[in-house]
Amino acid sequence: MSDRGHLKKTAHLAEVPASWESGPRGARPRRLLSTRTIVVYGTLFVAAAYYLLPLYVMIVTSLKGMPEIRLGNIFSPPLEITFEPWVKAWSSACTGLNCDGLSRGFWNSVMITVPSTAISIAIASINGYALSNWRFKGADIFFTILIVGAFIPYQVMLYPIVIVLREIGLYGSLSGLVIVHTIFGMPILTLLFRNYFAGLPEELFKAARVDGAGFWGIYLKIMVPMSLPIFVVAMILQVTGIWNDFLFGVVFTRPEYYPMTVQLNNIVNSVQGVKEYNVNMAATILTGAVPLLVYFVSGRLFVRGIAAGAVKG
Amino acid sequence: MTSVSVKDLRLSFGQVTVLDQLNLDIQEGEFLVLLGSSGCGKSTLLNCIAGLLDITDGQIFINGRNVTWDEPKDRGIGMVFQSYALYPQMTVEKNLSFGLKVAKMPQGEIDKRVARAAEILQIGPLLKRKPSELSGGQRQRVAIGRALVRDVDVFLFDEPLSNLDAKLRSELRVEIKRLHQSLKNTMIYVTHDQIEALTLADRIAIMKGGVIQQLADPNTIYNAPKNMFVAGFIGSPSMNFLRGEIAADAAGRPAVVAGGVTFSLDGYHAGETLVPGRKVVLGVRPEHVKVDEPGGTGEVHEATVDIEEPMGADNLLWLKHAGHTMAVRTAGSRRFSPGTRVRLTFDMTLASLFDAESEERI
Ligand SMILES: Nc1ncnc2c1ncn2[C@@H]1O[C@H](COP(=O)(O)OP(=O)(O)OP(=O)(O)O)[C@@H](O)[C@H]1O
Ligand SMILES: [Mg+2]
């Protein structure tokens, strides 16, 4: 009906009412200060301030000398900027037994995080690929066991794992901790990869098989190049998770292998001497810098990967 | 010589049996179309032949070799998928050469084959592009090229044209036919489009519920369908079905009485004797009814035009005739207004007669 009416109007331009020409046209105008924009931006501002204020306090405190901190104005910017606390936190703060700062913990954490992340992602992606594409006998049972594993609280498994590691002679070593991180990352990562691969078109996999590619050929040449976003997601999950880990680091390693988080705790909670707030703040920022950097560098890919996973189920 | 031979094939997904006791022999160089509605097991059968599904029971032979346990790459087949299934991160050239590289073929031979496929399919200028930079028709051409470079004996197509728009579909249909004529490979082609089936096939296998209903050349399928499912599936609009029973006409010859009117079966070749009183269904294609024309074998029937659907080349009439609605095709130049009384004659040599119970052709 409306179509016909419209045709008539264009056919007899003379009958067009005057309002047709003066009426709304083009993009709808937006008022700059509507209630909606105020509410939206207000909420965003409050949320941003809530997260940024502590960070601000930490940064300014870490740049002040101790006398200035004792004045008590925690929000005021430093009168005299000093990097002394940062240097001390990195290279000479006392962490329990020795006094060579966080640097030792940093390198320990790197040596824990890099292999744990790489190994767990490599294994989990192959698991997920096999589970979603090759549907071997018992695949469903295997997957169910893996998922159940994801829901068992860590605390329950701590002591048994200590015993297992002791029996195989890896207790207290870096490689023991790497193994623990790899195993604990497995359920969630496998789930992540399985769902992503299951969302890729099945015919692609079939075409590759007809083309003669085998298990590894399809994985390396077809699946991996198509799945960059999900690898980035997995990497972010693992790097931040492992870097921020405290519990496993304390339980499974000796003091000389303590990761950065454990050393940070030892610096901040040391009972001897005065509390050096500026050094503590600098040490905290240094410890948090790596996950922060990972977010900044790959945050965009992270969002895209999560979104892709959501759409493709 | 048989090119592909399927013997007593059975395929079950757990409890569900999709194909059972399926036998199929395809001659060398033959173009066989698997036609059927959605979910009847066409893709499943094709995947079994390709080796992409592990069959539950039976055997598959390709070129006289038992390939039942062979990997897809060792069966001498190339496959084209509905969704193109091009590797998105590779250029067209890489897509074409991937299978050859996997087979560790010398680079010179690879280049030669890619160049030949690109020439046949006219995709030479696209070789450096990624699949995302191609149109649907170009993508499908590349997908066909991927099967072409492997220089196989048997091509398998799984609804290769159904993602394309109508115009492209008919263009590529012609190209596939031309390809078959020049390559003379065996081709097995899955579709649910009956026009594709009728135009391309040497033989059509019509499937329903995992069972091949009829396997014959397009002409036989169209004019002598083996049962009512095949008759109703092929042809648009569908064949007119008139339910009635066998009787004798005025001259004592067999006839069908449906809706109170008599259709003499003069000229119909029945495969068995027609016992009076048997419940039957008379099938008449819309184009086998003559409207207001002299000629025809049987008696003249009266009908009323209900709706007229002009389609350009021809004009489709929906008639009210002795209690049923009947579709009749006439020349596009002839027009009828609704309510007109028309006189129909039927060509019984082209009609089909089915048993009302078993729905099989008589
Ligand atoms: N992996 C599977 N597990 C269980 N059932 C399946 C599986 N794949 C297919 N089926 C079933 O097998 C039957 C045949 O499927 P198939 O894909 O062969 O149909 P088709 O004839 O190709 O249909 P379409 O025209 O829609 O592609 C369907 O009923 C389908 O539900
Ligand atoms: Mg299908």
Side-chain angles (χ1 to χ4, degrees):
Chain A
M1 274 316 274
S2 63
D3 254 356
R4 187 167 294 174
H6 182 74
L7 275 178
K8 215 179 206 165
K9 268 187 200 162
T10 38
H12 306 279
L13 272 179
E15 293 172 17
V16 169
S19 68
W20 197 25
E21 275 167 24
S22 57
R25 184 190 179 101
R28 188 161 17 158
R30 283 262 157 78
R31 263 191 308 145
L32 221 56
L33 270 179
S34 66
T35 350
R36 212 185 77 188
T37 44
I38 291 173
V39 169
V40 168
Y41 284 97
T43 314
L44 287 176
F45 182 79
V46 170
Y50 182 80
Y51 283 102
L52 286 177
L53 207 60
L55 184 66
Y56 167 79
V57 171
M58 284 173 71
I59 291 174
V60 293
T61 309
S62 74
L63 296 173
K64 293 173 183 170
M66 277 313 284
E68 200 182 327
I69 291 174
R70 285 197 198 94
L71 293 178
N73 305 321
I74 61 165
F75 291 110
S76 65
L79 300 169
E80 198 179 325
I81 291 180
T82 165
F83 290 101
E84 195 65 26
W86 288 75
V87 176
K88 184 169 184 200
W90 178 253
S91 56
S92 64
C94 288
T95 61
L97 295 179
N98 36 41
C99 286
D100 48 8
L102 275 173
S103 56
R104 173 195 293 265
F106 175 82
W107 291 113
N108 282 343
S109 278
V110 169
M111 277 185 293
I112 293 163
T113 306
V114 171
S116 304
T117 303
I119 297 172
S120 60
I121 289 179
I123 297 179
S125 63
I126 295 166
N127 277 351
Y129 160 67
L131 280 169
S132 77
N133 285 316
W134 289 89
R135 319 219 110 265
F136 52 92
K137 263 213 184 76
D140 290 337
I141 295 173
F142 181 79
F143 187 60
T144 313
I145 292 173
L146 211 60
I147 296 308
V148 169
F151 291 106
I152 298 177
Y154 291 168
Q155 292 79 350
V156 175
M157 290 191 271
L158 278 182
Y159 189 53
I161 290 179
V162 168
I163 294 174
V164 170
L165 285 180
R166 197 185 61 204
E167 290 305 310
I168 59 176
L170 288 175
Y171 179 65
S173 68
L174 276 183
S175 37
L177 186 55
V178 167
I179 291 174
V180 171
H181 278 306
T182 304
I183 291 173
F184 276 94
M186 212 45 57
I188 191 71
L189 287 188
T190 303
L191 179 71
L192 194 74
F193 278 106
R194 192 200 83 118
N195 287 354
Y196 188 84
F197 288 139
L200 297 178
E202 200 195 351
E203 295 192 337
L204 217 52
F205 171 74
K206 290 182 175 175
R209 279 193 71 194
V210 171
D211 265 341
F215 184 91
W216 295 109
I218 296 176
Y219 171 72
L220 291 172
K221 301 224 182 75
I222 310 291
M223 292 301 181
V224 173
M226 279 178 71
S227 313
L228 216 62
I230 205 69
F231 275 91
V232 172
V233 170
M235 193 202 70
I236 293 176
L237 285 179
Q238 284 302 83
V239 167
T240 52
I242 295 170
W243 191 273
N244 291 337
D245 162 69
F246 179 84
L247 182 62
F248 291 172
V250 173
V251 175
F252 296 114
T253 54
R254 284 193 297 273
E256 69 256 41
Y257 294 139
Y258 275 163
M260 207 170 180
T261 44
V262 178
Q263 291 206 322
L264 171 67
N265 173 67
N266 291 356
I267 291 176
V268 174
N269 287 340
S270 74
V271 278
Q272 313 136 343
V274 281
K275 283 234 179 263
E276 293 179 293
Y277 291 108
N278 49 1
V279 175
N280 291 352
M281 295 295 181
T284 308
I285 296 173
L286 281 172
T287 309
V290 167
L292 211 61
L293 205 70
V294 170
Y295 279 131
F296 276 130
V297 171
S298 43
R300 193 176 300 215
L301 281 169
F302 181 77
V303 172
R304 209 190 296 162
I306 290 278
V311 172
K312 286 175 184 161
Chain B
M1 192 191 147
T2 45
S3 171
V4 177
S5 178
V6 176
K7 293 210 193 317
D8 298 331
L9 175 69
R10 188 152 68 90
L11 185 114
S12 318
F13 293 109
Q15 299 296 314
V16 198
T17 299
V18 178
L19 303 172
D20 200 9
Q21 286 295 312
L22 192 139
N23 284 285
L24 184 62
D25 283 309
I26 302 157
Q27 300 304 310
E28 197 173 322
E30 183 172 8
F31 199 121
L32 182 99
V33 171
L34 297 172
L35 180 64
S37 45
S38 193
C40 71
K42 309 178 296 287
S43 301
T44 306
L45 174 56
L46 205 68
N47 282 323
C48 288
I49 295 174
L52 292 167
L53 279 176
D54 282 334
I55 64 176
T56 314
D57 199 5
Q59 292 176 310
I60 293 165
F61 294 84
I62 293 179
N63 281 338
R65 203 161 55 86
N66 186 337
V67 296
T68 312
W69 291 346
D70 286 2
E71 278 293 299
K73 68 174 160 66
D74 302 322
R75 296 188 176 208
I77 51 131
M79 194 154 173
V80 179
F81 298 92
Q82 175 178 357
S83 64
Y84 322 125
L86 300 178
Y87 312 126
Q89 74 282 6
M90 300 184 194
T91 60
V92 168
E93 190 174 8
K94 292 249 173 61
N95 263 283
L96 293 177
S97 59
F98 180 71
L100 307 180
K101 284 230 177 72
V102 171
K104 304 219 163 43
M105 186 177 280
Q107 188 62 40
E109 176 69 15
I110 293 180
D111 292 342
K112 219 161 64 194
R113 290 205 187 177
V114 169
R116 174 171 160 266
E119 195 200 311
I120 293 175
L121 296 164
Q122 298 165 3
I123 49 176
L126 312 175
L127 284 179
K128 295 284 173 239
R129 292 204 205 163
K130 290 263 179 74
S132 56
E133 299 157 0
L134 302 177
S135 73
Q138 290 167 332
R139 280 179 211 185
Q140 199 50 276
R141 253 178 263 243
V142 176
I144 295 173
R146 201 165 52 181
L148 207 61
V149 288
R150 299 187 62 238
D151 209 11
V152 289
D153 306 308
V154 181
F155 275 65
L156 307 175
F157 294 91
D158 192 355
E159 308 201 26
L161 306 184
S162 51
N163 274 5
L164 304 174
D165 64 53
K167 186 163 174 292
L168 254 170
R169 206 180 307 167
S170 56
E171 281 174 24
L172 266 161
R173 197 173 69 211
V174 174
E175 271 186 51
I176 289 179
K177 185 150 196 172
R178 190 173 294 135
L179 197 68
H180 179 242
Q181 276 173 8
S182 63
L183 295 176
K184 304 211 164 39
N185 292 44
T186 308
M187 294 191 175
I188 307 178
Y189 188 106
V190 166
T191 182
H192 54 237
D193 182 326
Q194 46 170 306
I195 303 296
E196 270 171 39
L198 291 168
T199 52
L200 289 169
D202 294 325
R203 281 195 302 165
I204 299 175
I206 299 210
M207 293 181 66
K208 179 194 175 191
V211 179
I212 295 181
Q213 303 288 314
Q214 186 170 12
L215 174 60
D217 61 281
N219 195 34
T220 309
I221 294 263
Y222 192 79
N223 290 313
K226 209 169 140 241
N227 58 33
M228 279 179 69
F229 174 79
V230 176
F233 194 81
I234 288 274
S236 170
S238 203
M239 184 182 266
N240 299 298
F241 290 124
L242 310 169
R243 293 188 173 273
E245 58 180 54
I246 299 287
D249 71 356
R253 289 169 308 189
V256 174
V257 177
V261 287
T262 307
F263 298 82
S264 161
L265 285 173
D266 207 15
Y268 181 78
H269 294 286
E272 44 197 294
T273 45
L274 300 168
V275 186
R278 185 172 177 182
K279 296 259 183 287
V280 293
V281 177
L282 179 67
V284 184
R285 292 222 177 268
E287 53 273 34
H288 296 154
V289 183
K290 289 203 167 69
V291 183
D292 286 345
E293 270 180 282
T297 49
E299 49 286 282
V300 177
H301 297 256
E302 290 251 312
T304 315
V305 176
D306 187 16
I307 286 176
E308 183 195 31
E309 287 187 289
M311 298 187 172
D314 45 33
N315 192 359
L316 193 66
L317 303 180
W318 294 91
L319 306 175
K320 280 210 169 76
H321 167 259
H324 14 258
T325 314
M326 187 184 283
V328 172
R329 200 189 299 277
T330 65
S333 54
R334 299 178 63 192
R335 302 301 300 267
F336 299 84
S337 42
T340 317
R341 302 283 297 168
V342 291
R343 295 152 62 81
L344 310 176
T345 46
F346 295 85
D347 189 349
M348 280 303 153
T349 54
L350 297 169
S352 299
L353 194 63
F354 305 98
D355 185 280
E357 287 269 318
S358 68
E359 307 203 333
E360 292 292 318
R361 186 182 184 85
I362 301 175

